[in-house]
Amino acid sequence: MSDPYAWIEQSLATIHRADWYRSVQTIEGCPGATVLLQGQEVINFASNDYLGLAGDERLILAATAAVQEFGTGSTGSRLLSGHRKIHRELEKAIASLKQTEDAVVFSSGYLANLGAITALVSKRDLILADQYNHSSLKNGAILSGAKIVEYPHCDVEAVKSELQRLRPDYRRCLIATDSVFSMDGDLCPLPALIDLAQEFSCMLLVDEAHATGVLGKTGAGCVEHFGCTGKQLVQIGTLSKALGSLGGYVAGSATLIDYLRNRAPSWIYTTALSPADTAAALAAINIIQQEPQRRTQLWKNVDYLKNLIHQYLPNLKLLPSQSPILCLEFANATDALQAGNQLKSTGIFAPAIRPPTVPTSRIRISLMATHEQTHINKLIEQLSLIFH
């Protein structure tokens, strides 16, 4: 009889041939603007720790204190033995930051999307989703059983056209989009999507993973950035990017959050977020609200890098971005890998991102508030050598 697992080795060989093979790279010590990567000190342009909080002493102390008080694990789901007072404190802090009535915390941002989408729509319903949405949004849509229509990236007219064509045939409709697209750096057309959601009686889910703590006057995210605070939305986010911890959340009306606690399977049937992660995220929200200068410095770094690129590398193929994520596009995976390896050899960690994660290969540069001008200058110097 044939080996039923033989196809796996063949599939891996195909991945290698396409230059799509991936492997982990070990980082030692605390995260930061510079890290030790497999024994080599590098400037870290690959992190989502936008405000530099993941290694902040205050988050470390908060996590340590929570472990001493509550132990290392939550021991069960929130509805069984897993709920702690600190979970509710974090949810109230998120709701305050997002200026919503309530919030509920999940064990990851991925689980927040899976849980929310599968709770809100099912096989009698319609989902309109941006084609560049994060994997968690895509898989949540698939798991829901709803009819899925992907619209061209940020194409409002296409959304309207599909709503005119399909909306009358379905019980409910959910428009789902990232607010900041993590592998491109651009923003969704949120105000226009809100208008369409109101016009066609649709729910609108926006994933603020890469916007929370970064965009908006108070760091509340893309919703605040566009002046849409208070609008009827399902706001998803993560605690693992600018908040420097782990976990996810949904923020919205009190009725929505109450419903999700009763219907979101990835919240009901998952062990509660650990005390350490919960406390670290809570400390991070307090810092974001008390230290706006971190966000100011982040945007200064973004402007500084963009100005240097325009000055010294005007022909660089830079994808449009309104976030701390800047992407350099390449013709193929081989060229992107070569550029990433060349940067790494000079002490810069900005790895290649390749299909199927993205449609075209690229180097993704992610800026942090804790990057210094010397770090950015070195990046420009090395990019100048690659793109001379």
Side-chain angles (χ1 to χ4, degrees):
M1 294 180 67
S2 62
D3 180 0
Y5 300 98
W7 67 271
I8 297 176
E9 189 172 345
Q10 296 166 2
S11 182
L12 276 172
T14 301
I15 292 170
H16 275 287
R17 284 195 299 271
D19 279 325
W20 289 6
Y21 185 77
R22 290 155 170 79
S23 58
V24 298
Q25 301 184 75
T26 302
I27 288 179
E28 302 170 40
C30 266
T34 61
V35 293
L36 201 62
L37 178 68
Q38 295 179 302
Q40 176 191 5
E41 186 173 345
V42 295
I43 304 170
N44 186 10
F45 287 105
S47 174
N48 295 323
D49 183 22
Y50 300 112
L51 300 179
L53 291 177
D56 191 282
E57 185 66 23
R58 290 165 291 182
L59 270 69
I60 295 170
L61 290 173
T64 302
V67 169
Q68 290 173 339
E69 181 177 357
F70 300 109
T72 56
S74 295
T75 76
S77 70
R78 292 277 294 278
L79 294 176
L80 290 177
S81 62
H83 181 69
R84 304 289 184 274
K85 63 180 182 180
I86 196 170
H87 289 127
R88 192 62 192 138
E89 290 173 16
L90 176 58
E91 289 168 344
K92 289 179 179 179
I94 291 169
S96 175
L97 176 68
K98 300 294 292 180
Q99 298 178 58
T100 59
E101 290 180 352
D102 205 351
V104 59
V105 169
F106 288 70
S107 296
S108 75
Y110 209 109
L111 290 175
N113 272 323
L114 294 186
I117 294 172
T118 54
L120 293 173
V121 288
S122 61
K123 62 183 180 181
R124 295 167 57 193
D125 305 316
L126 172 67
I127 295 176
L128 294 181
D130 192 289
Q131 68 178 132
Y132 287 2
N133 275 351
H134 187 263
S135 167
S136 57
L137 289 163
K138 289 178 180 286
N139 283 329
I142 293 168
L143 286 172
S144 75
K147 166 71 174 177
I148 304 166
V149 175
E150 285 197 341
Y151 58 85
H153 182 50
C154 292
D155 190 334
V156 175
E157 289 305 313
V159 178
K160 184 173 184 177
S161 177
E162 294 292 357
L163 286 171
Q164 289 171 335
R165 183 173 69 91
L166 295 172
R167 180 65 186 99
D169 299 331
Y170 292 89
R171 178 186 59 169
R172 301 179 196 141
C173 178
L174 176 70
I175 302 171
T177 182
D178 285 303
S179 63
V180 175
F181 290 90
S182 62
M183 293 299 152
D184 297 82
D186 57 342
L187 309 185
C188 75
L190 186 62
L193 292 177
I194 289 175
D195 289 343
L196 286 177
Q198 292 174 341
E199 181 182 351
F200 289 92
S201 187
C202 301
M203 297 175 287
L204 176 57
L205 183 151
V206 58
D207 186 338
E208 293 267 65
H210 292 267
T212 303
V214 173
L215 284 166
K217 184 179 179 181
T218 68
C222 206
V223 174
E224 183 182 50
H225 169 77
F226 280 119
C228 298
T229 301
K231 299 287 187 180
Q232 200 167 19
L233 295 166
V234 182
Q235 297 188 52
I236 310 283
T238 178
L239 312 173
S240 61
K241 308 292 189 293
L243 299 185
S245 184
L246 181 69
Y249 68 81
V250 181
S253 70
T255 303
L256 169 70
I257 301 308
D258 195 27
Y259 174 77
L260 292 177
R261 289 195 186 101
N262 285 274
R263 282 291 182 265
S266 60
W267 187 82
I268 296 169
Y269 301 109
T270 303
T271 298
L273 192 65
S274 77
D277 292 321
T278 307
L282 185 56
I285 290 175
N286 290 333
I287 292 170
I288 284 172
Q289 293 174 320
Q290 294 167 9
E291 298 180 5
Q293 64 269 24
R294 282 182 174 267
R295 195 161 46 258
T296 301
Q297 184 58 51
L298 171 64
W299 288 104
K300 284 182 179 178
N301 287 345
V302 172
D303 291 339
Y304 184 68
L305 176 56
K306 284 184 174 180
N307 288 336
L308 288 182
I309 289 174
H310 292 319
Q311 183 176 353
Y312 295 106
L313 294 163
N315 297 321
L316 200 64
K317 195 170 184 182
L318 197 65
L319 294 177
S321 171
Q322 299 88 42
S323 73
I325 302 163
L326 301 179
C327 295
L328 316 179
E329 197 169 25
F330 287 79
N332 54 63
T334 303
D335 290 349
L337 281 171
Q338 184 177 350
N341 289 334
Q342 188 171 335
L343 287 170
K344 185 182 173 186
S345 70
T346 63
I348 292 173
F349 186 38
I353 309 296
R354 296 157 285 159
T357 303
V358 289
T360 56
S361 295
R362 64 203 61 183
I363 293 292
R364 179 183 184 271
I365 297 165
S366 182
L367 286 162
M368 299 168 59
T370 47
H371 279 132
E372 299 172 4
Q373 285 193 358
T374 54
H375 297 150
I376 299 171
N377 291 341
K378 183 173 180 180
L379 173 64
I380 289 293
E381 290 171 8
Q382 296 308 317
L383 288 176
S384 298
L385 293 176
I386 294 174
F387 294 99
H388 62 276

